[in-house]
Amino acid sequence: MLKSKMTRRTFLKASAITGVVAASASYVGRGNISDASSIQDAEKIPNLCNGCSSRCGMTVTVSDGRVVRVDGNPLHSRSRGTLCGRAHGAALLAYHPDRLTEPLKKNENGEFEPISWEQAYKEIGEKLQTIINEHGPDSFAYFQNPKRVQRLYGDRFVEALGSANIFSHNASCNLSRDTGFKHVLGGVPSGDVANAKVTLFIGRSYGDGIRPSQLQNLVTAKDNGSKIYIVDPRLNSTSNLADEWLPIKPGTDLALLLAIANVLIEENLYDKEFCEEHGNRFEDFEREMKQYTPEWASDKTDLSVDVIKQVARDLGENRPKAIVEQSWKGAFGCNYENSTETARMVGLVNALLGNINVDGGMLFTSGPSLESPDNLKEPGELKPRVDGAGIKGEKWYLADTAKGVGNAVPDFVKEGKLKAAFCQHHNPVRNHPDYEVMKEGYEGLDLLVVVDIWMSETAEVADYVLPESSWLERTEAVEGLGGKTPTVNLRVQAIDKIHPKTKNFSEIMSELADEMGLSDYFTDLETENRTACEKLGISYDELLEQGTIQLESTWEPGYQGSNTESGKVEFACQAFEDAGFTAVPKWVEPKVTIPEGEFRLIHGKQNIHSHTYSTNIPKLAQISKEYNLDSVWINKKRADELGIKDGDPVIIENEMHTGKTTAKVTEAIHPEAAFYPSHYGSRASLTYNDDNGLSINDYTPHQYEAMSGAPNMMETSVQIKKDGA
Amino acid sequence: MTQTTTMQNKSEIYSILAEGLKTPTEDWVSWYNDIGREKLKSLLISFPILDEQEVSNCLPKQLDFKEVDHLYRSYFILPGPQRVVPAESIYKQWTVRNSAFALSKGFLMGDSAEHMNNIFKELDIEIPEEFSFMPDHLILQLELLSLLEENGNEEFVNEFIKEHLDWTEDLVAECTKKQWSGFYYLWIQLIHMFFHKECWKC
């Protein structure tokens, strides 16, 4: 039938008088918006930054409903009144054009289509229940970023269903580090850098992975005349605050630490009394360290014997105010076959220095205990973890259960052990090595639900994607922070939701729990928050106002015992022997030996980016481009041999991947290493990250460190050649 | 053409251009195939500044509903490599205020959006909830122009276009970068052509 008239679906709803007004209305230009005085009525709202995972306290200035600036909250112990560039870059995320606006479901053609929240809850609830009925609760897992709101609503949801399979994003940061520290010291202490006389940083760079308070501490240390050593194959951004850079051969930090222990013991520069009184089987350790001479270590590390002795003596002579900083991912977070042993030795060298819990040493502090309402139902008995972490006799018995062996998920899917998973604030498909293996693994789940603010590589393979409010649009759970002065902190909603159909994670999980008949385990966020404050004896209203409340210090100086199997510092650890390793740490070669002519591909953070998401923030992406930040660092001598000049386009390749970038030719890197920052190479379809460089995870195979199951992220070799050569 | 006729024609043009950017329906596609294409073409070429061939090139002869629906979802709705958000704020400096974010670009709810909200408020016009985060969406701007032309406020229209429709070239560039093709690519080019050739001044 011929349609002569177009059916209009006019969106603008004009009132009856609009026609009259429109006919006579005068146009008032946007010049009035530029009037700076219009921000005088701005509100200041406390929040916690989401530029990285540090959650620095900040104040958000909001005018006419829009964010106009962000500042560090002076009360917050991590920001202490300042913020880094990531905070300013991430502050406008709420307004990003890639935001998800409504729930999505993948249809039979593999395409996403919008659905209602009701449909999403109903279908997800039914599918999850069917999977649990057929395969048991342990076929279900949750991948998260471990903050309190995730624990209250995500972990509790999983546990209410009887599963213990909680995997943290941090497994791809520091699973080895935490596994090593857990077994020798009972946890990860914090270096009191500001008050130390000597600090040895191994791979960790405060100038790149910025937390403002740590940089402030380092500046204080320098002002106080502290000696700072940087051990890193490349001259990182912290080096301008350092006294000496030790360009170590990548993957050999363990050898340096073994030799430091050797010198400390041989030259009687260690705290004998502490080690004998508080150490478990110290004599075994003492005996084993004899073989690791500085001469032996020099051969492994490419550092001179004199330098190794000098570092050891500087540490020993200044004990107990001398530390080997605990690091984060750095060199031994999860990077090499010897990373867990390296972490054990970092803990034990600190113990040799007798610096545990003393000023200028390695501090164990605790945060406030935050409780939920008493009337919530508690989860019953949980099925054993699918990765066997913490379970005697299992392959990854030693692995830290707070993180889990997330790298192994594709294998568990293939073996039919995992059938369903939820993922929030985490992007495992991109953040673990070997994209193809990860993608296939996560695609193999019968049900994958991703909660995010935009599409990630993991969201792209999901069955359902649920749109979360962005960080400035949501209030979260009250959370605590340890330190000599512990604090209670809160993220407070600063702006109205930009997209009305997005929801807070707490709402999403509570509503899904209602659908599945699990509502007894949950209450609303405000009740959680008020209860936590009430039980702690602080005012929630004051917290809403200030964002941070400082509590009285509960820290007591002096060694307080260790949360280890023996209750002491484990110089020899039975658990390692039980798991088939040696009780005392020993030298372990890196898994990959770099063939002549090739490079070990190492990575690290840049101080404007966090993980891989921030390259989709236009201003930060622009900085990367303008300063050629997505270049590969190679040693000048090696580059000369290959005919590569600074700025040349080069190809990085191995059997897994081939990609093009530009060369940064420099003497500030060990000849065996090629450094490429870890933020680039996103494959998600997002607006500002096209043509955004290479991903280090494309060059590294799917593999495990034997002790912790960590992904060995720097165990790979690449060739580099001039493009067109 | 009298001034009144010209304004009515422009009102009709803006209205049709806005409709073409909304979720396609079978009715609308039938209307375009049977009547709409020719109608829009004749309205447009009533402006001598527009070349008939150029206009014809931007108006496919026959649309297929399924194909148009698929393109619409890929280009405007679903997250993916070809999605484009046609809202003014994204293509302009986010704010000129005394703000830490004054030089930012590429985000929704910038000064353009705030100004559009002011205009809608001033004219007592309500916008749908789904556009509350992008009151400077191209559809709403075209609809507003249609309304203003219909009510004969040429002065308002001219000022509005000068301030708010100077970003269509960047929009076309974005669509080109995202490898658009077919009806919507042509439609966006047609909109750009109309403003670029300053037909609104005729």
Side-chain angles (χ1 to χ4, degrees):
Chain A
M1 192 180 72
L2 194 71
K3 295 237 177 219
S4 61
K5 279 218 154 189
M6 175 177 76
T7 311
R8 288 189 188 178
R9 298 159 293 165
T10 311
F11 287 156
L12 297 182
K13 300 285 174 227
S15 72
I17 58 162
T18 294
V20 183
V21 175
S24 58
S26 301
Y27 184 79
V28 181
R30 57 201 290 178
N32 61 330
I33 286 176
S34 65
D35 180 2
S37 65
S38 63
I39 66 164
Q40 279 176 354
D41 299 329
E43 253 189 293
K44 289 186 182 300
I45 301 156
N47 205 285
L48 299 173
C49 179
N50 216 61
C52 73
S53 295
S54 290
R55 295 165 82 85
C56 291
M58 67 177 357
T59 304
V60 185
T61 304
V62 177
S63 171
D64 288 332
R66 289 198 289 155
V67 179
V68 292
R69 64 178 290 144
V70 290
D71 297 278
N73 182 344
L75 293 173
H76 195 273
S77 54
R78 285 188 177 162
S79 57
R80 294 194 206 144
T82 56
L83 296 170
C84 74
R86 297 180 183 93
H88 293 92
L92 298 187
L93 272 187
Y95 310 105
H96 201 289
D98 287 336
R99 290 282 308 278
L100 295 164
T101 58
E102 52 195 328
L104 300 173
K105 174 190 177 178
K106 197 172 272 169
N107 63 25
E108 60 278 6
N109 301 322
E111 293 167 339
F112 282 109
E113 57 186 40
I115 57 171
S116 68
W117 278 103
E118 291 70 26
Q119 185 184 345
Y121 290 142
K122 190 169 185 300
E123 291 184 9
I124 293 168
E126 282 173 4
K127 286 179 184 176
L128 183 56
Q129 196 59 63
T130 305
I131 289 169
I132 286 174
N133 291 346
E134 281 179 21
H135 304 282
D138 50 343
S139 65
F140 173 48
Y142 169 45
F143 311 113
Q144 42 92 297
N145 194 313
K147 308 298 180 244
R148 189 162 178 263
V149 72
Q150 274 81 24
R151 294 199 185 104
L152 288 179
Y153 292 92
D155 293 9
R156 197 180 278 172
F157 180 84
V158 182
E159 289 170 356
L161 288 165
S163 173
N165 294 328
I166 296 164
F167 294 89
S168 152
H169 150 88
N170 292 8
S172 58
C173 294
N174 46 33
L175 177 58
S176 308
R177 181 198 75 156
D178 286 15
T179 300
F181 271 104
K182 177 184 140 186
H183 288 284
V184 296
L185 295 180
V188 183
S190 294
D192 187 6
V193 174
N195 296 308
K197 289 181 184 167
V198 179
T199 298
L200 182 72
F201 287 97
I202 298 182
R204 172 77 170 124
S205 173
Y206 285 0
D208 289 294
I210 294 177
R211 188 175 281 175
S213 58
Q214 291 182 328
L215 265 179
Q216 290 168 22
N217 288 341
L218 188 56
V219 171
T220 303
K222 281 303 292 174
D223 289 346
N224 292 341
S226 176
K227 188 160 190 180
I228 310 295
Y229 286 105
I230 301 280
V231 179
D232 196 323
R234 83 175 173 124
L235 189 72
N236 64 43
S237 300
T238 316
S239 301
N240 54 358
L241 288 168
D243 294 277
E244 283 194 43
W245 168 47
L246 278 54
I248 196 166
K249 183 178 177 181
T252 65
D253 308 278
L254 174 61
L256 172 65
L257 289 158
L258 290 165
I260 288 173
N262 171 289
V263 175
L264 292 175
I265 295 168
E266 293 299 317
E267 298 190 10
N268 200 22
L269 290 171
Y270 71 106
D271 190 331
K272 198 169 183 185
E273 197 183 319
F274 178 86
C275 294
E276 285 175 359
E277 191 177 338
H278 302 299
N280 178 47
R281 292 168 61 185
F282 178 66
E283 60 289 356
D284 293 353
F285 180 79
E286 204 176 6
R287 191 176 56 247
E288 290 298 317
M289 290 304 111
K290 282 189 189 299
Q291 59 186 301
Y292 301 118
T293 62
E295 291 73 18
W296 167 85
S298 174
D299 193 41
K300 295 282 179 199
T301 60
D302 290 349
L303 300 174
S304 73
V305 172
D306 287 347
V307 163
I308 295 170
K309 285 182 177 172
Q310 176 202 316
V311 173
R313 287 170 186 160
D314 268 348
L315 287 167
E317 286 164 6
N318 287 287
R319 69 179 194 279
K321 289 184 180 247
I323 58 178
V324 183
E325 201 264 359
Q326 72 278 5
S327 193
W328 187 256
K329 181 170 182 176
F332 58 92
C334 60
N335 300 328
Y336 300 103
E337 189 60 29
N338 59 25
S339 285
T340 299
E341 285 297 64
T342 307
R344 280 214 290 170
M345 280 306 298
V346 171
L348 295 178
V349 168
N350 280 305
L352 285 172
L353 296 169
N355 69 18
I356 307 301
N357 221 33
V358 299
D359 275 316
M362 301 298 283
L363 309 182
F364 279 96
T365 61
S366 55
S369 162
L370 299 169
E371 295 175 44
S372 288
D374 296 328
N375 58 353
L376 295 186
K377 190 172 173 184
E378 287 297 322
E381 199 178 332
L382 307 180
K383 287 278 188 184
R385 291 183 63 96
V386 69
D387 58 4
I391 303 170
K392 226 170 190 168
E394 292 288 337
K395 187 175 174 186
W396 289 306
Y397 156 52
L398 296 173
D400 181 22
T401 50
K403 293 178 174 50
V405 188
N407 188 37
V409 166
D411 303 331
F412 302 142
V413 176
K414 257 188 190 165
E415 291 160 15
K417 292 177 181 167
L418 276 186
K419 295 285 181 186
F422 282 19
C423 181
Q424 188 246 355
H425 209 226
H426 183 17
N427 183 14
V429 171
R430 178 70 288 181
N431 293 344
H432 287 294
D434 204 330
Y435 175 79
E436 296 303 333
V437 169
M438 289 297 143
K439 181 170 175 276
E440 194 188 336
Y442 282 82
E443 268 176 343
L445 287 160
D446 292 350
L447 174 68
L448 176 61
V449 179
V450 169
V451 180
D452 212 324
I453 65 161
W454 63 33
M455 294 304 282
S456 64
E457 286 85 347
T458 309
E460 285 180 351
V461 300
D463 300 294
Y464 294 87
V465 182
L466 306 179
E468 192 179 11
S469 315
S470 72
W471 58 294
L472 291 180
E473 302 168 293
R474 62 189 191 228
T475 297
E476 286 189 356
V478 169
E479 55 191 51
L481 212 50
K484 279 187 181 171
T485 304
T487 55
V488 178
N489 307 290
L490 183 63
R491 171 175 284 161
V492 181
Q493 182 176 0
I495 53 172
D496 288 341
K497 277 186 197 174
I498 305 297
H499 301 283
K501 289 183 188 167
T502 58
K503 289 178 188 262
N504 296 2
F505 181 64
S506 52
E507 278 177 276
I508 295 171
M509 296 313 290
S510 300
E511 288 169 4
L512 182 60
D514 288 347
E515 177 72 31
M516 296 185 71
L518 302 170
S519 40
D520 291 352
Y521 294 90
F522 298 92
T523 187
D524 63 280
L525 193 61
E526 174 145 359
T527 306
E528 282 282 2
N529 283 347
R530 288 200 178 276
T531 305
C533 289
E534 204 175 289
K535 290 191 176 188
L536 204 59
I538 60 169
S539 156
Y540 181 55
D541 293 328
E542 194 183 328
L543 190 57
L544 281 167
E545 196 73 28
Q546 306 184 165
T548 291
I549 292 178
Q550 294 179 334
L551 305 175
E552 277 185 30
S553 180
T554 52
W555 180 72
E556 284 181 35
Y559 182 68
Q560 312 286 325
S562 295
N563 189 23
T564 56
E565 220 172 319
S566 63
K568 293 181 167 187
V569 173
E570 301 240 326
F571 283 101
C573 186
Q574 189 58 45
F576 274 66
E577 219 161 60
D578 294 345
F581 305 102
T582 57
V584 174
K586 68 166 195 177
W587 169 245
V588 175
E589 288 286 347
K591 188 174 185 176
V592 172
T593 304
I594 307 302
E596 203 177 324
E598 296 198 5
F599 296 83
R600 183 181 291 278
L601 186 61
I602 64 168
H603 60 269
K605 276 193 174 180
Q606 284 179 329
N607 52 25
I608 59 157
H609 284 302
S610 178
H611 305 113
T612 50
Y613 92 96
S614 60
T615 54
N616 192 35
I617 295 172
K619 198 186 264 185
L620 301 184
Q622 188 188 349
I623 293 171
S624 287
K625 289 282 169 222
E626 286 185 9
Y627 291 90
N628 289 324
L629 295 183
D630 55 344
S631 299
V632 61
W633 293 37
I634 47 176
N635 179 275
K636 178 148 188 340
K637 192 162 169 275
R638 296 286 309 273
D640 287 347
E641 287 163 11
L642 293 164
I644 296 169
K645 292 192 176 59
D646 190 46
D648 274 353
V650 291
I651 303 285
I652 306 180
E653 63 184 353
N654 66 7
E655 65 282 1
M656 292 182 64
H657 193 70
T658 300
K660 191 171 158 181
T661 184
T662 51
K664 177 185 166 78
V665 175
T666 172
E667 282 161 355
I669 189 164
H670 187 280
E672 189 182 271
F675 172 85
Y676 191 83
S678 54
H679 313 289
Y680 303 101
S682 168
R683 296 194 190 205
S685 302
L686 299 168
T687 300
Y688 302 111
N689 69 356
D690 54 338
D691 187 26
N692 76 343
L694 307 173
S695 169
I696 45 111
N697 287 334
D698 286 335
Y699 290 95
T700 311
H702 178 57
Q703 58 190 339
Y704 306 101
E705 185 208 328
M707 290 179 183
S708 66
N712 276 349
M713 293 176 81
M714 296 185 194
E715 291 284 17
T716 191
S717 177
V718 295
Q719 292 179 329
I720 299 178
K721 62 184 183 193
K722 192 171 170 177
D723 188 23
Chain B
M1 260 193 312
T2 65
Q3 194 189 357
T4 313
T5 314
T6 307
M7 289 169 77
Q8 279 168 356
N9 284 355
K10 284 187 196 167
S11 175
E12 188 79 358
I13 288 169
Y14 292 131
S15 176
I16 295 171
L17 291 175
E19 286 298 319
L21 291 176
K22 294 174 189 172
T23 311
T25 60
E26 291 194 51
D27 275 1
W28 189 83
V29 168
S30 301
W31 175 82
Y32 174 92
N33 288 339
D34 298 342
I35 302 282
R37 181 182 184 274
E38 288 309 313
K39 183 170 186 182
L40 180 59
K41 187 176 150 188
S42 69
L43 285 167
L44 287 169
I45 60 174
S46 67
F47 298 94
I49 204 163
L50 288 178
D51 176 71
E52 184 176 350
Q53 191 55 49
E54 240 180 327
V55 170
S56 293
N57 289 346
C58 285
L59 293 168
K61 286 199 174 108
Q62 281 291 309
L63 298 181
D64 174 70
F65 171 70
K66 277 191 178 161
E67 194 183 317
V68 171
D69 186 55
H70 178 75
L71 285 178
Y72 189 83
R73 288 151 62 90
S74 302
Y75 292 171
F76 294 111
I77 304 295
L78 298 173
Q82 292 191 292
R83 184 181 176 214
V84 165
V85 180
E88 184 186 357
S89 285
I90 290 175
Y91 301 89
K92 298 263 184 85
Q93 184 177 334
W94 197 65
T95 184
V96 292
R97 279 182 159 170
N98 179 16
S99 160
F101 310 112
L103 295 177
S104 292
K105 201 177 168 190
F107 294 100
L108 297 169
M109 291 303 290
D111 286 354
S112 315
E114 189 176 335
H115 190 234
M116 286 299 297
N117 270 337
N118 292 348
I119 290 172
F120 288 133
K121 194 172 166 193
E122 190 67 28
L123 296 178
D124 203 15
I125 290 173
E126 255 184 68
I127 61 170
E129 195 193 19
E130 63 264 34
F131 283 92
S132 58
F133 54 91
M134 39 186 182
D136 53 352
H137 194 284
L138 187 54
I139 292 177
L140 301 193
Q141 293 185 330
L142 290 167
E143 279 201 2
L144 179 65
L145 283 170
S146 176
L147 185 69
L148 290 163
E149 292 283 9
E150 196 179 310
N151 287 282
N153 196 335
E154 197 69 4
E155 195 189 324
F156 197 122
V157 166
N158 291 347
E159 291 300 317
F160 179 81
I161 291 176
K162 266 193 275 177
E163 270 203 334
H164 282 284
L165 270 310
D166 54 348
W167 55 282
T168 53
E169 188 173 357
D170 292 339
L171 177 63
V172 172
E174 182 68 8
C175 299
T176 307
K177 188 177 149 198
K178 296 204 166 169
Q179 299 181 342
W180 278 27
S181 61
F183 173 67
Y184 290 107
Y185 190 40
L186 296 171
W187 200 254
I188 293 288
Q189 289 184 63
L190 187 65
I191 292 170
H192 172 57
M193 190 198 301
F194 190 81
F195 291 116
H196 178 65
K197 296 220 167 173
E198 301 191 321
C199 300
W200 48 283
K201 282 186 182 169
C202 301

mmCIF file of all heavy atoms in Angstrom, chain A residues 660-674:
data_model
loop_
_atom_site.group_PDB
_atom_site.id
_atom_site.type_symbol
_atom_site.label_atom_id
_atom_site.label_comp_id
_atom_site.label_asym_id
_atom_site.label_seq_id
_atom_site.Cartn_x
_atom_site.Cartn_y
_atom_site.Cartn_z
ATOM 1 N N LYS A 660 53.928 -4.377 14.981
ATOM 2 C CA LYS A 660 54.801 -3.259 14.626
ATOM 3 C C LYS A 660 54.702 -2.153 15.669
ATOM 4 O O LYS A 660 53.611 -1.838 16.153
ATOM 5 C CB LYS A 660 54.332 -2.748 13.267
ATOM 6 C CG LYS A 660 55.255 -1.767 12.604
ATOM 7 C CD LYS A 660 54.752 -1.533 11.182
ATOM 8 C CE LYS A 660 55.264 -0.223 10.637
ATOM 9 N NZ LYS A 660 54.775 0.039 9.283
ATOM 10 N N THR A 661 55.852 -1.574 15.982
ATOM 11 C CA THR A 661 55.866 -0.410 16.876
ATOM 12 C C THR A 661 57.084 0.428 16.510
ATOM 13 O O THR A 661 57.674 0.232 15.442
ATOM 14 C CB THR A 661 55.863 -0.847 18.361
ATOM 15 O OG1 THR A 661 55.793 0.311 19.193
ATOM 16 C CG2 THR A 661 57.107 -1.640 18.739
ATOM 17 N N THR A 662 57.445 1.377 17.369
ATOM 18 C CA THR A 662 58.666 2.145 17.110
ATOM 19 C C THR A 662 59.695 1.829 18.196
ATOM 20 O O THR A 662 59.337 1.408 19.295
ATOM 21 C CB THR A 662 58.399 3.661 17.100
ATOM 22 O OG1 THR A 662 57.695 3.990 18.284
ATOM 23 C CG2 THR A 662 57.612 4.090 15.890
ATOM 24 N N ALA A 663 60.954 2.071 17.886
ATOM 25 C CA ALA A 663 62.031 1.749 18.827
ATOM 26 C C ALA A 663 62.420 2.973 19.639
ATOM 27 O O ALA A 663 62.546 4.069 19.103
ATOM 28 C CB ALA A 663 63.242 1.233 18.058
ATOM 29 N N LYS A 664 62.563 2.745 20.944
ATOM 30 C CA LYS A 664 63.216 3.752 21.790
ATOM 31 C C LYS A 664 64.594 3.176 22.087
ATOM 32 O O LYS A 664 64.725 2.230 22.856
ATOM 33 C CB LYS A 664 62.409 3.963 23.075
ATOM 34 C CG LYS A 664 63.051 4.939 24.067
ATOM 35 C CD LYS A 664 62.213 4.957 25.354
ATOM 36 C CE LYS A 664 62.948 5.624 26.505
ATOM 37 N NZ LYS A 664 62.940 7.077 26.446
ATOM 38 N N VAL A 665 65.591 3.721 21.438
ATOM 39 C CA VAL A 665 66.954 3.195 21.593
ATOM 40 C C VAL A 665 67.643 3.949 22.727
ATOM 41 O O VAL A 665 67.683 5.176 22.729
ATOM 42 C CB VAL A 665 67.735 3.345 20.265
ATOM 43 C CG1 VAL A 665 69.180 2.913 20.448
ATOM 44 C CG2 VAL A 665 67.067 2.514 19.174
ATOM 45 N N THR A 666 68.150 3.196 23.700
ATOM 46 C CA THR A 666 68.657 3.827 24.913
ATOM 47 C C THR A 666 69.724 2.965 25.578
ATOM 48 O O THR A 666 69.720 1.742 25.412
ATOM 49 C CB THR A 666 67.484 4.067 25.900
ATOM 50 O OG1 THR A 666 68.007 4.509 27.139
ATOM 51 C CG2 THR A 666 66.662 2.813 26.133
ATOM 52 N N GLU A 667 70.601 3.631 26.299
ATOM 53 C CA GLU A 667 71.570 2.864 27.092
ATOM 54 C C GLU A 667 70.982 2.478 28.443
ATOM 55 O O GLU A 667 71.603 1.744 29.220
ATOM 56 C CB GLU A 667 72.851 3.691 27.285
ATOM 57 C CG GLU A 667 73.703 3.667 26.031
ATOM 58 C CD GLU A 667 74.710 4.781 25.963
ATOM 59 O OE1 GLU A 667 74.708 5.652 26.836
ATOM 60 O OE2 GLU A 667 75.491 4.772 25.008
ATOM 61 N N ALA A 668 69.773 2.967 28.708
ATOM 62 C CA ALA A 668 69.165 2.780 30.026
ATOM 63 C C ALA A 668 68.378 1.479 30.136
ATOM 64 O O ALA A 668 67.323 1.428 30.774
ATOM 65 C CB ALA A 668 68.267 3.968 30.342
ATOM 66 N N ILE A 669 68.880 0.430 29.511
ATOM 67 C CA ILE A 669 68.224 -0.880 29.642
ATOM 68 C C ILE A 669 69.263 -1.982 29.443
ATOM 69 O O ILE A 669 70.209 -1.824 28.653
ATOM 70 C CB ILE A 669 67.040 -1.021 28.642
ATOM 71 C CG1 ILE A 669 66.235 -2.298 28.948
ATOM 72 C CG2 ILE A 669 67.506 -0.982 27.192
ATOM 73 C CD1 ILE A 669 64.868 -2.334 28.299
ATOM 74 N N HIS A 670 69.080 -3.072 30.184
ATOM 75 C CA HIS A 670 69.990 -4.216 30.068
ATOM 76 C C HIS A 670 69.918 -4.773 28.637
ATOM 77 O O HIS A 670 68.827 -4.860 28.060
ATOM 78 C CB HIS A 670 69.571 -5.298 31.077
ATOM 79 C CG HIS A 670 70.523 -6.443 31.160
ATOM 80 N ND1 HIS A 670 70.523 -7.471 30.232
ATOM 81 C CD2 HIS A 670 71.521 -6.717 32.031
ATOM 82 C CE1 HIS A 670 71.474 -8.327 30.546
ATOM 83 N NE2 HIS A 670 72.096 -7.895 31.639
ATOM 84 N N PRO A 671 71.055 -5.191 28.084
ATOM 85 C CA PRO A 671 71.054 -5.643 26.680
ATOM 86 C C PRO A 671 70.111 -6.802 26.383
ATOM 87 O O PRO A 671 69.634 -6.938 25.250
ATOM 88 C CB PRO A 671 72.512 -6.070 26.449
ATOM 89 C CG PRO A 671 73.301 -5.355 27.485
ATOM 90 C CD PRO A 671 72.402 -5.157 28.661
ATOM 91 N N GLU A 672 69.835 -7.640 27.367
ATOM 92 C CA GLU A 672 68.965 -8.794 27.071
ATOM 93 C C GLU A 672 67.485 -8.422 27.065
ATOM 94 O O GLU A 672 66.652 -9.152 26.531
ATOM 95 C CB GLU A 672 69.197 -9.907 28.106
ATOM 96 C CG GLU A 672 68.485 -11.192 27.711
ATOM 97 C CD GLU A 672 68.650 -12.293 28.749
ATOM 98 O OE1 GLU A 672 69.628 -13.049 28.635
ATOM 99 O OE2 GLU A 672 67.802 -12.387 29.657
ATOM 100 N N ALA A 673 67.152 -7.286 27.690
ATOM 101 C CA ALA A 673 65.733 -6.953 27.861
ATOM 102 C C ALA A 673 65.205 -6.063 26.744
ATOM 103 O O ALA A 673 65.913 -5.213 26.214
ATOM 104 C CB ALA A 673 65.543 -6.244 29.203
ATOM 105 N N ALA A 674 63.938 -6.280 26.401
ATOM 106 C CA ALA A 674 63.187 -5.321 25.585
ATOM 107 C C ALA A 674 61.976 -4.951 26.438
ATOM 108 O O ALA A 674 61.231 -5.833 26.863
ATOM 109 C CB ALA A 674 62.747 -5.960 24.275
#
